[in-house]
């Protein structure tokens, strides 16, 4: 458990944020009662002739109660199957979370799957997402993962974040993710580099 001072995104307001694992019994609607999953999207990346180009596709991505109920069910399953959920809390209130599945995936079991990473709208840009991502990557590596897999929203801002974190296009696509979200960009972060000179995982 750790505490750090984070900017609230406006360069002025500061908030004490606690980062820790989230237990199964905490995963209730009440936990998300002050979490605002809302994103105003304009530009998205779309693949054309094997290149990613920015296209205007304006919409507002905002979760409903049903979305949160489904999320809770998924996060509980993550914990029940050996995965982990990390949370970022401001004065005891959840303001960010990330989840990584425990089951190895990929043709060689090289991936650990980052299935969620979200920060409440009012605290984006404060470094919370970066901290949660780093925690997820460290956990995945400790579990024997060679790479972290991310099926990422194609919004320009989201892609900039993952690029800044060192992610690149996935060498192997997980068909389950592609089928579920065909407009997502499939990314990976290398956790363990091949030092033998052989083929990279």
């Amino acid at each position: 458990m750790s505490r750090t001072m984070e900017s609230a995104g406006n360069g002025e307001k500061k908030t004490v944020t606690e980062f820790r694992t989230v237990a199964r019994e905490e995963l209730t609607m009440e936990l998300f009662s002050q979490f605002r999953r809302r994103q105003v999207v304009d530009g998205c990346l779309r693949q054309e002739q094997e290149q990613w180009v920015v296209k205007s596709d304006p919409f507002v991505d905002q979760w409903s109660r049903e979305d949160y109920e489904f999320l809770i069910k998924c996060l509980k399953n993550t914990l029940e199957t050996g995965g982990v959920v990390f949370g970022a809390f401001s004065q005891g209130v959840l303001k960010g979370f990330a989840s990584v599945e425990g089951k190895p995936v990929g043709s060689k079991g090289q991936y650990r799957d980052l299935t969620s990473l979200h920060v409440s709208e009012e605290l984006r840009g404060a470094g919370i997402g970066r901290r949660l991502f780093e925690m997820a990557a460290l956990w995945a590596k400790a579990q024997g993962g060679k790479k972290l897999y991310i099926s990422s929203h194609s919004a320009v801002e989201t892609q900039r974040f993952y690029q800044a974190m060192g992610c690149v296009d996935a060498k192997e696509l997980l068909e389950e993710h592609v089928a579920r979200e065909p407009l997502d960009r499939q990314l990976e972060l290398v956790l363990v580099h091949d030092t033998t000179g052989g083929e990279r995982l």
Side-chain angles (χ1 to χ4, degrees):
M1 183 181 299
S2 60
R3 296 178 183 271
T4 184
M5 294 297 292
E6 299 282 0
S7 165
N10 58 15
E12 298 175 358
K13 184 180 177 182
K14 299 285 185 178
T15 180
V16 176
T17 303
E18 176 187 23
F19 294 87
R20 62 172 175 82
T21 55
V22 178
R24 186 186 185 283
E25 58 269 20
E26 294 181 89
L27 294 170
T28 64
M29 286 295 291
E30 182 179 359
L31 180 68
F32 295 92
S33 62
Q34 297 184 57
F35 186 93
R36 191 176 185 194
R37 176 61 179 95
R38 182 177 182 275
Q39 183 176 359
V40 179
V41 178
D42 182 14
C44 288
L45 293 185
R46 296 289 182 259
Q47 196 166 28
E48 294 184 355
Q49 299 179 347
E50 299 185 356
Q51 289 189 338
W52 291 98
V53 296
V54 178
K55 295 287 187 179
S56 180
D57 185 16
F59 66 97
V60 177
D61 187 4
Q62 186 164 350
W63 287 352
S64 65
R65 179 180 178 86
E66 290 72 24
D67 291 326
Y68 281 105
E69 290 173 344
F70 181 69
L71 168 70
I72 290 168
K73 184 182 298 184
C74 291
L75 294 179
K76 285 182 177 179
N77 182 71
T78 295
L79 295 180
E80 290 165 359
T81 54
V84 68
V85 177
F86 294 109
F89 295 82
S90 177
Q91 298 179 343
V93 177
L94 183 73
K95 290 299 180 181
F97 65 94
S99 60
V100 186
E101 303 304 309
K103 180 182 177 182
V105 290
S107 60
K108 300 177 182 178
Q110 70 271 34
Y111 289 117
R112 296 300 183 277
D113 196 1
L114 179 77
T115 42
S116 63
L117 175 60
H118 299 284
V119 176
S120 193
E121 182 180 32
E122 73 279 10
L123 287 182
R124 289 184 199 138
I128 295 172
R130 172 179 290 273
R131 178 72 176 274
L132 288 169
F133 184 87
E134 290 170 349
M135 292 172 72
L138 286 172
W139 185 89
K141 185 176 180 179
Q143 301 305 306
K146 302 294 188 286
K147 297 180 177 184
L148 190 65
Y149 191 94
I150 307 103
S151 181
S152 166
H153 196 296
S154 60
V156 170
E157 296 81 5
T158 304
Q159 291 302 309
R160 285 177 183 156
F161 168 80
Y162 283 118
Q163 183 179 29
M165 297 307 296
C167 300
V168 296
D169 287 314
K171 304 295 184 187
E172 179 181 332
L173 302 184
L174 299 183
E175 293 304 325
E176 178 182 354
H177 283 304
V178 175
R180 185 187 305 121
E181 296 288 351
L183 295 181
D184 276 7
R185 188 173 184 178
Q186 308 301 311
L187 302 171
E188 67 178 38
L189 176 73
V190 176
L191 304 172
V192 178
H193 292 273
D194 180 12
T195 58
T196 66
E199 181 181 357
R200 290 178 62 184
L201 290 172

